[in-house]
Amino acid sequence: MVEDFKPDYFAVVFDAPGKTFRDDWYAEYKSNRVAMPDDLSLQIPPLHALVRAHGWPLVMIHGVEADDVIGTLAREAREADVDTIISTSDKDLAQLVAPRVKLVNTMTSETLDEAGVLAKFGVRPDQVLDLLTLTGDAVDNIPGVPKVGPKTAAKWLAEYGTLDRLVAGAASIGGVVGENLRQTLDWLPQGRRLLTVKTDCALQSGYAELGLTAPDDAALREMFERFEFKSWLKDLVPFAPAPGGAAVQGGAGYGAPVGASGAAPGPARLAEDDKHYELIVDTAQWERWWAAIQDADLVCFDISTTQVEPLQAEVVGLAFALERGRACYVPLAHRYTGAPPQLDRAQVLAQIAPWLADPGRRKVGQNLKSHEHVLANHGVALAGIAHDTLLQSYVLESHKPHDLDNLAWRHLDVHTLSYDEVTGKGAKRIPFEQVAVERAGEYAAENADVTLRMHEKLFPQIRNDAKLSHVYEAIELPVRDVLFTMERHGVLIDSARLAAHSRILGERVMALEQQAFHEAGAPFNLGSPRQLCEILFDRMKLPVVKRTATGQPSTDEDVLQELAADYPLPKLILEHRGLSKLKSTYTDKLPQMVNPQTGRVHTTFSQATAVTGRLASTEPNLQNIPVRTAEGRKIREAFIAPPGHTLLSADYSQVELRIMAHLSEDPALLRAFQEGADIHRATAAEIFGVPQPDVTADQRRYIKAVNFGLIYGMSAFGLAAQLGIERSAAQVFIDKYFARYPGVADYMQRTREVARTQGYVETVFGRRLWLPDIRAASGPRRAGAERAAINAPMQGTAADLIKLAMIVVQRWIVDQRLGTRLVLQVHDELVFEVPESELPRVERDLPPLMSGVASLRAPLVVDVGHGENWDQAH
């Protein structure tokens, strides 16, 4: 509003805490509203502080609602012939619209003047209050006339003009709604009173005393940094090169100089005298740089590419940095009208290929796995990767963003030139090869320079911590090499089988849709929450389990799961959703993602995504294919081995429970694993006090839920919901469990305390898992962080184990010159393509290799299976 309308007078109005005069008028006013969630209420004080720091007057009057403050200010301004704009989406304020007053919803760009109100509500602004009185306001718990909605109310007001005239003629209104109107006549005056926006409130300041003042840049900067509002922080103090290399500063979007507030500069562009960048456009320049590159002990390099998909991208240019502030860009394939002559890409790549492939030539970069793919597309190998700033950031701060812009902003206090600034956004984005070489050079050289600076900043922190150094050098850097090999090889799929399965899924989805229509009594859009809400709760009168933030009945998956236990329609909708997702995400999409050159699907394994250290699979995500349903397993059937090969699956058995036993050092739990017992049956025998052969299926199921539930910090309430039993019964199971395994209870309590003290927990191997909410003021957030603190060491250690297994197994494959290929990693499972001639050897040697990567108190066990496809193997 400030930027678009440049107001002379301005105020931001909030409700003050506590009751208002309407609560005195009507005890049930807003009594149906749930309390504001803690996560929301905690944001109100800093929001107020941000408003004030912008120089915007903030108005709150105790005992008076914000609507009434707005109404009073609008009336004062209108009487003084001042145009007023009210930013709101609240229909109640439509009663204030007048010749000099209009509403603007800045979220939707909707503007309501007098004609707009008539078009939207079917009544004039002076009739809006009467319409609201007839329909009532469910959100504020103000009843209207039963069964009367906006259309009926608007029709009555069109005929009678006002509510008073309608009341006078109520006897002539026929039908059920007429009878409802007559029965509500005594209430209507009170309803209108409650819904009337007051315009005569006693305010501390009139409209003429409310105006914009200069922003407090220092306060804004502190809050923008604390809440990580990076875009606003960049806008707060825009920097632009000035003649002679000086920086020109502007203030917070209002033209106020930075010095006016005495604020210290925020993240800025690198100073011109700290940048010595060179654009390489001729052979002499390049040969000088090439000699310096070969003499350098450590070289940072970056590649500009034709696209973001690394297996399809080509080199557009190369950037190198040799020391802080010294970098260059070599444009090789910029193609646009007027593009200058550039060095020959093939010749330059051939010249530097031996250096790139030399393991003795130390290199550093940001996300070098992606660069390695791009070079491989040109037949160039990459070795000698000494450091990767993406992985350094991930080891130090797995819970924060790791892109270069964020890293520079967070660690160097530098605002880098972003990819969006260079190429544009959305539909206006141009390929990098069409970016002017001068602009591309500024961007790419800075990237290489900043990456080198980041390495100088981050690596000493890792090097000086033995645990973090081990995670970085013994796990993350080596597994990066394995992931590159896996991504490059890809996995073979049977597209014809997927297409057949897709047709079957499509038929089942259509059949479920027809069954849902039959249950609902009418066709409707199963994907529309609004229509689903009308069907389930308005027409079928199913119980409302929970409500959304706007007060509407929720139709999320948890709600449907609960309703599905007693009603057929929610169950049909859940099944329809599940099958539709399988079809769109996998059976339809996977065949389209087959690489035409390799005939395989090539997923990307991200090392720097999950805060626990787990790998993430994207484009496509092959880690989320459901295995507990027949439909999901049929998708796995389409992952096949090439002729003469078989797929082999090797996964750690109950690895997180074994890690729990190791960490807790509970004697009984360790003994069960060391004896090779069925852990769930053994635990059930301990807790129920019966011999293991006598443990029933239900007893084992209950204890299995407890075993896995405790790993994730599940409460008695959660366990009760999962097992369908009373909370008290679930608590008995948990109490008995801790009584038999006191070491587990001690571990959990000890872990909570450690997390609260240092703000993080660690895996067995020293990976640091940060918990930003462990000291949160909000109870639910803090409790969630405590649950994460219990689980993170187990899930993180499992992630470390599978990475170590990948490293060891890949080295074994290479050392033994085997034809076996590691093709997939899914949680605790590795999937291999194995030549049939090597199958006996791999089946024999793989389990001890994987179980031997670490010595835990509870022995690691590896289960192996094989078959023609992934489903058979697992």
Side-chain angles (χ1 to χ4, degrees), residues 388-438:
D388 192 316
T389 50
L390 175 79
L391 302 181
Q392 290 171 350
S393 172
Y394 184 58
V395 168
L396 286 168
E397 302 174 315
S398 65
H399 61 301
K400 292 187 176 180
H402 311 294
D403 59 279
L404 194 59
D405 290 346
N406 263 293
L407 290 177
W409 175 79
R410 199 160 70 238
H411 293 286
L412 302 178
D413 202 27
V414 167
H415 171 197
T416 54
L417 185 61
S418 72
Y419 189 76
D420 288 346
E421 291 176 90
V422 173
T423 62
K425 297 181 181 179
K428 296 182 178 179
R429 171 162 283 166
I430 60 174
F432 198 84
E433 63 262 35
Q434 294 179 16
V435 175
V437 293
E438 294 81 9

Side-chain angles (χ1 to χ4, degrees), residues 242-557:
V248 179
Q249 303 178 5
Y254 300 107
V258 167
S261 67
R269 299 288 195 198
L270 286 171
E272 290 299 311
D273 59 2
D274 196 24
K275 298 191 301 184
H276 305 282
Y277 300 162
E278 193 171 349
L279 185 65
I280 308 300
V281 293
D282 62 48
T283 303
Q285 283 180 298
W286 167 240
E287 290 301 333
R288 178 166 44 83
W289 264 92
W290 176 228
I293 289 169
Q294 294 178 88
D295 288 340
D297 176 62
L298 179 69
V299 177
C300 179
F301 82 99
D302 186 50
I303 302 178
S304 299
T305 62
T306 53
Q307 59 171 286
V308 295
E309 170 51 51
L311 270 78
Q312 306 295 327
E314 297 178 12
V315 172
V316 173
L318 301 170
F320 299 91
L322 302 182
E323 59 190 40
R324 173 185 287 264
R326 183 186 175 198
C328 75
Y329 179 62
V330 188
L332 298 172
H334 285 265
R335 301 183 180 94
Y336 56 89
T337 302
Q342 298 156 62
L343 297 179
D344 183 84
R345 181 173 67 183
Q347 289 181 6
V348 170
L349 289 178
Q351 183 179 9
I352 68 173
W355 176 84
L356 287 168
D358 188 343
R361 301 289 192 162
R362 300 172 66 247
K363 307 164 188 79
V364 60
Q366 167 80 5
N367 191 15
L368 287 179
K369 177 159 64 70
S370 176
H371 293 349
E372 190 173 0
H373 278 302
V374 179
L375 290 170
N377 295 341
H378 292 272
V380 176
L382 178 63
I385 297 174
H387 296 288
D388 192 316
T389 50
L390 175 79
L391 302 181
Q392 290 171 350
S393 172
Y394 184 58
V395 168
L396 286 168
E397 302 174 315
S398 65
H399 61 301
K400 292 187 176 180
H402 311 294
D403 59 279
L404 194 59
D405 290 346
N406 263 293
L407 290 177
W409 175 79
R410 199 160 70 238
H411 293 286
L412 302 178
D413 202 27
V414 167
H415 171 197
T416 54
L417 185 61
S418 72
Y419 189 76
D420 288 346
E421 291 176 90
V422 173
T423 62
K425 297 181 181 179
K428 296 182 178 179
R429 171 162 283 166
I430 60 174
F432 198 84
E433 63 262 35
Q434 294 179 16
V435 175
V437 293
E438 294 81 9
R439 184 68 163 167
E442 181 185 1
Y443 166 78
E446 182 185 72
N447 268 9
D449 180 21
V450 168
T451 299
L452 187 59
R453 295 176 193 233
M454 283 308 312
H455 166 66
E456 293 171 350
K457 181 83 172 182
L458 299 180
F459 182 60
Q461 301 176 52
I462 295 174
R463 183 180 53 207
N464 295 331
D465 186 300
K467 292 179 180 178
L468 295 182
S469 182
H470 175 75
V471 171
Y472 176 61
E473 295 177 350
I475 299 178
E476 293 302 338
L477 281 175
V479 86
R480 188 214 70 84
D481 296 332
V482 181
L483 295 175
F484 168 79
T485 302
M486 292 170 62
E487 292 173 357
R488 201 77 196 165
H489 187 70
V491 59
L492 195 63
I493 65 168
D494 186 337
S495 295
R497 182 175 295 188
L498 282 173
H501 190 32
S502 190
R503 286 192 296 272
I504 294 171
L505 287 177
E507 293 169 359
R508 291 191 58 189
V509 165
M510 291 180 65
L512 287 167
E513 193 173 74
Q514 294 303 315
Q515 292 178 53
F517 293 166
H518 175 76
E519 288 291 337
F524 67 101
N525 181 357
L526 274 69
S528 166
R530 183 182 63 80
Q531 292 187 32
L532 187 56
C533 182
E534 292 174 357
I535 293 290
L536 294 179
F537 305 113
D538 294 343
R539 182 178 300 182
M540 302 183 71
K541 305 299 182 186
L542 269 58
V544 175
V545 177
K546 68 177 181 181
R547 295 184 180 273
T548 66
T550 61
Q552 296 300 309
S554 173
T555 59
D556 67 19
E557 187 155 343

Side-chain angles (χ1 to χ4, degrees), residues 580-745:
S580 297
K581 184 175 181 179
L582 279 180
K583 186 176 187 298
S584 61
T585 306
Y586 294 110
T587 60
D588 289 349
K589 190 175 180 181
L590 279 177
Q592 299 172 12
M593 303 184 79
V594 172
N595 185 300
Q597 279 81 40
T598 66
R600 291 168 173 262
V601 168
H602 299 264
T603 187
T604 296
F605 290 101
S606 170
Q607 285 175 263
T609 298
V611 296
T612 58
R614 281 194 180 275
L615 297 170
S617 166
T618 57
E619 293 301 315
N621 182 350
L622 301 182
Q623 295 181 330
N624 280 359
I625 301 173
V627 295
R628 296 181 180 177
T629 64
E631 292 79 9
R633 290 193 296 273
K634 280 191 173 295
I635 293 172
R636 285 198 168 197
E637 288 178 6
F639 288 76
I640 58 174
H645 293 67
T646 186
L647 285 190
L648 181 143
S649 167
D651 72 295
Y652 286 115
S653 173
Q654 299 173 333
V655 65
E656 291 187 17
L657 286 175
R658 294 172 189 273
I659 296 167
M660 165 69 89
H662 171 84
L663 292 170
S664 68
E665 300 184 49
D666 186 274
L669 200 55
L670 285 171
R671 185 171 59 250
F673 278 119
Q674 289 162 356
E675 293 174 352
D678 175 338
I679 189 63
H680 305 308
R681 184 172 296 278
T683 304
E686 289 273 356
I687 289 175
F688 291 109
V690 298
Q692 289 193 33
D694 295 339
V695 171
T696 67
D698 277 345
Q699 287 174 332
R700 186 184 183 280
R701 180 171 65 88
Y702 289 159
I703 298 308
K704 182 178 180 180
V706 174
N707 271 331
F708 285 112
L710 291 179
I711 287 177
Y712 291 95
M714 185 183 289
S715 65
F717 179 83
L719 182 62
Q722 180 173 325
L723 294 175
I725 59 177
E726 294 293 327
R727 183 184 179 281
S728 57
Q731 187 63 56
V732 168
F733 283 132
I734 292 175
D735 292 343
K736 285 185 175 181
Y737 186 97
F738 286 143
R740 301 298 291 184
Y741 300 117
V744 175

